[in-house]
Amino acid sequence: MFLFLSPGEYVGLTGARLDGAEMLACGLATHFVPVKRLASLEEALLKVNTTDAAVVSAIIDDFSLRPPLKEKSPYHR
């Protein structure tokens, strides 16, 4: 018999910690912006004079990366 857990259940039951790549893979995050790009992202967002979520999301997309999952990631369990 196999027991299938959602990522949230697995993390809750095991205490496993997730990094940015794992958060994206699980659907718990929408974007991953590396620390080196945060200041530039902040500048770009401050220059925009809109509350349009699509525009803001597009700017964040420009600074986002899709980091690879580590080989020993808890996500693979």
Side-chain angles (χ1 to χ4, degrees):
M1 183 170 134
F2 290 98
L3 176 64
F4 294 100
L5 301 174
S6 72
E9 291 170 326
Y10 178 81
V11 170
L13 290 171
T14 65
R17 293 182 181 218
L18 303 178
D19 63 18
E22 294 159 343
M23 296 284 289
L24 283 171
C26 292
L28 299 172
T30 58
H31 296 82
F32 175 83
V33 179
V35 144
K36 293 178 182 178
R37 296 175 128 187
L38 285 177
S40 298
L41 170 60
E42 183 179 11
E43 286 177 33
L45 290 171
L46 289 172
K47 289 179 185 176
V48 176
N49 188 18
T50 185
T51 57
D52 184 347
V55 172
V56 172
S57 185
I59 293 169
I60 298 171
D61 284 341
D62 290 342
F63 291 88
S64 296
L65 297 177
R66 190 74 59 189
L69 287 168
K70 296 174 187 165
E71 190 175 315
K72 293 187 178 186
S73 169
Y75 182 79
H76 297 302
R77 295 186 183 158

